[in-house]
Amino acid sequence: MKRSRSIVLSIALILTGLVSAGPPAGAAGSLPCDVYGSAGTPCVGAHSTVRALYSAYNGPLYQVRRADGATTDIGLLTTGGIANAAAQDSFCGTSACVISEIYDQSPRHNHLTIEGAGGAGAADVGAPANALPISIGGHTAYGVEISPGMGYRNNNTSGVAVNGQPEGMYMVASATHVNGGCCFDYGNAETNNQDTGNGHMDAVYLGLRCEFGGCNSSGGPWVAADLENGLFQSNTGTQASDPGPGIIPFVTAMLNNNGQNHFALKRGNAQTGGLTTTYSGSEPTVKSGYSPLHQEGAIVLGTGGDNSNADVGSFFEGVMTAGVPSDAADNAVQSSIVAAGYGGSNGVAGGTLTPGSSISLRATTACCTTRYLRHAGGDAVTSVISASSSALDKNDATWIVRRGLANSSCLSFESKNYPGDYLRHSNYQLHRQPDDGSALLTNDATFCAGAGNSGSFTSFQSLNYPGYYVRHYNATVYIASNGGANPWDNTASWAADTTWEVTQPWA
């Protein structure tokens, strides 16, 4: 890494929250729910933490809850505009905050709160409010980063399709933050958090889960319809010819279903271009119970209908409609999404400590300059990584920089190939573990960057163990003090062992 990417520049970017700018937001009257309303398929749910979905909307987008229990609503910079991220920054300060409610912008008031226990999962926790900064319309805003055990729901809705009624829905999500767990959904679900049978859901899914086989092994993630007891890419379940959208930061995933005998799936790049229809045909035939559907009318975000919550995903906006939108309306909505100006790094660009950037961390001790911090079997270690290393090794040595889960002035490091898992210390040793939303994990997974203890590059101090820095010692990684009772606190080479070069990511 060249010295132009110095720690001074990196810390400046962190503190200012800068992300790359995009074009201005869409013109008045052209926002998604304006389009659908004009086409005769009005929104009955309109959820976003980053922008208005009606040109005349000027209410709150979401609520955040601070660690002390205090809450505040986050609104817009202007009517029909972008989220006021500065209001969140001011309220949360350096404290941990979670998204406690996502407001419905439609007249139906179908707000989403943190999901309770269900047939397949215990009660969820809220997503960290500051973990997913992006740029939209030239402004910073925060998406919803779902890790296992996180989700939102409303079981008492108004106007949402039930018992075979027609509906449409889409979400803007990310293909860089997915896994094969069940199930990163947005849409219609059961009203009791239980699996009540085939056809009792109608939700759009984005992820790597391939339940019926035949999926393109080099593709994914895929857009699918979660109709309960099946993620369907077609009436037979699979859609082998579709490679998926590719690993891009912003994806439009769309599902239309007449509730009787036909559904369609579409996908697009939320930053450019139009929609691709990946399936349009009959309801599932590989199993019975889907024609007609038996939707119950709850709205779910981030889990399956029975609170199956082993998934990860990134959510930025989504709507549900009364009736199936026309192709023309869907195309106009995709144009509105592209015009919104989604941008900023979401684990794609790399090499700096800017939140959203992908990085690798190289040891700087003279003995070990070809070694990088990576996870192996869940433990943090150092290994020699080079251009000839395996893809697995390169992925294991790549991390996505996130704002500190417990302190937004500091940083957390999300695994590139295990989205939702973070680098955290436990009994002084560092591990890769899933974010369970607990105060202990968020503190253990937060590190504060500073000038390197050896006089160059960067050192990372534990937030909740001041004076303890991330150190490699005998190829294992710990938090270590400069002198102490543990072997890894040895003063020999401590300054060099706790100093890391932030480099371009290997993956």
Side-chain angles (χ1 to χ4, degrees):
M1 180 178 123
K2 296 180 180 179
R3 296 300 296 146
S4 60
R5 286 183 175 143
S6 66
I7 184 60
V8 175
L9 174 58
S10 298
I11 293 176
L13 288 169
I14 295 165
L15 295 177
T16 58
L18 292 177
V19 287
S20 61
S30 65
L31 298 188
C33 288
D34 302 328
V35 172
Y36 283 139
S38 296
T41 50
C43 292
V44 295
H47 304 100
S48 177
T49 59
V50 302
R51 69 165 181 150
L53 300 172
Y54 293 85
S55 60
Y57 187 75
N58 197 28
L61 296 181
Y62 62 103
Q63 179 190 85
V64 294
R65 184 177 67 230
R66 210 164 49 201
D68 63 5
T71 62
T72 195
D73 290 342
I74 305 302
L76 297 159
L77 294 171
T78 59
T79 299
I82 306 301
N84 185 357
Q88 175 182 307
D89 294 339
S90 175
F91 175 77
C92 295
T94 60
S95 173
C97 269
V98 299
I99 297 172
S100 45
E101 187 166 3
I102 303 172
Y103 295 114
D104 177 17
Q105 300 175 33
S106 87
R108 297 290 184 168
H109 306 296
N110 292 322
H111 310 314
L112 303 178
T113 55
I114 297 170
E115 187 168 357
D124 293 322
V125 297
N130 64 3
L132 191 55
I134 63 163
S135 171
I136 180 167
H139 299 278
T140 296
Y142 294 102
V144 185
E145 183 171 81
I146 297 291
S147 292
M150 300 176 184
Y152 298 84
R153 199 179 189 111
N154 185 336
N155 285 338
N156 186 23
T157 64
S158 169
V160 179
V162 295
N163 296 321
Q165 292 178 328
E167 63 183 339
M169 66 203 72
Y170 80 83
M171 66 175 168
V172 175
S174 176
T176 69
H177 189 243
V178 292
N179 71 354
C182 182
C183 293
F184 184 64
D185 292 339
Y186 172 71
N188 199 320
E190 294 94 338
T191 55
N192 62 358
N193 293 29
Q194 304 291 322
D195 178 353
T196 55
N198 296 357
H200 283 249
M201 287 186 67
D202 186 26
V204 64
Y205 165 86
L206 180 70
L208 295 173
R209 197 171 182 87
C210 181
E211 295 187 337
F212 294 93
C215 293
N216 187 325
S217 61
S218 62
W222 298 280
V223 177
D226 190 342
L227 306 181
E228 192 55 280
N229 299 316
L231 292 174
F232 296 92
Q233 297 182 56
S234 69
N235 59 353
T236 61
T238 189
Q239 182 69 25
S241 62
D242 180 42
I247 308 302
I248 58 176
F250 303 102
V251 176
T252 305
M254 193 172 285
L255 166 64
N256 291 326
N257 203 323
N258 72 5
Q260 298 295 313
N261 55 22
H262 186 275
F263 77 101
L265 294 165
K266 304 176 182 180
R267 61 169 173 80
N269 186 328
Q271 292 180 293
T272 185
L275 295 169
T276 297
T277 299
T278 61
Y279 175 75
S280 180
S282 72
E283 302 286 2
T285 56
V286 68
K287 292 182 177 182
S288 62
Y290 299 100
S291 185
L293 293 181
H294 315 282
Q295 313 104 303
E296 298 184 25
I299 300 177
V300 69
L301 167 61
T303 73
D306 59 356
N307 193 25
S308 296
N309 56 9
D311 54 285
V312 302
S314 301
F315 177 87
F316 306 104
E317 66 177 78
V319 313
M320 300 176 65
T321 66
V324 174
S326 66
D327 288 341
D330 284 343
N331 291 337
V333 165
Q334 170 66 1
S335 295
S336 170
I337 292 168
V338 170
Y342 276 99
S345 172
N346 187 22
V348 179
T352 73
L353 290 176
T354 308
S357 176
S358 288
I359 64 167
S360 291
L361 293 172
R362 185 182 68 84
T364 63
T365 313
C367 64
C368 309
T369 56
T370 59
R371 304 183 74 89
Y372 288 79
L373 193 159
R374 57 85 61 90
H375 60 83
D379 294 329
V381 298
T382 61
S383 293
V384 175
I385 307 291
S386 68
S388 61
S389 295
S390 69
L392 176 62
D393 288 349
K394 291 177 180 178
N395 274 282
D396 287 350
T398 299
W399 306 89
I400 302 174
V401 180
R402 301 298 187 193
R403 290 180 184 265
L405 295 176
N407 184 320
S408 62
S409 297
C410 300
L411 302 170
S412 294
F413 299 98
E414 184 180 12
S415 169
K416 181 76 168 183
N417 55 347
Y418 283 77
D421 282 18
Y422 285 80
L423 190 66
R424 63 86 58 95
H425 65 81
S426 178
N427 293 324
Y428 300 101
Q429 187 175 345
L430 268 67
H431 309 274
R432 170 189 55 77
Q433 292 185 356
D435 179 8
D436 60 7
S438 68
L440 177 62
L441 182 135
T442 57
N443 278 280
D444 288 351
T446 302
F447 304 91
C448 301
N453 290 324
S454 68
S456 61
F457 301 117
T458 311
S459 291
F460 300 97
Q461 183 174 197
S462 168
L463 176 70
N464 55 350
Y465 279 67
Y468 285 74
Y469 289 80
V470 176
R471 180 186 190 176
H472 63 91
Y473 184 83
N474 290 340
T476 302
V477 183
Y478 304 90
I479 55 168
S481 64
N482 190 7
N486 299 310
W488 51 85
D489 297 326
N490 193 312
T491 58
S493 300
W494 180 86
D497 289 351
T498 59
T499 299
W500 303 85
E501 182 181 9
V502 179
T503 73
Q504 289 289 334
W506 276 110

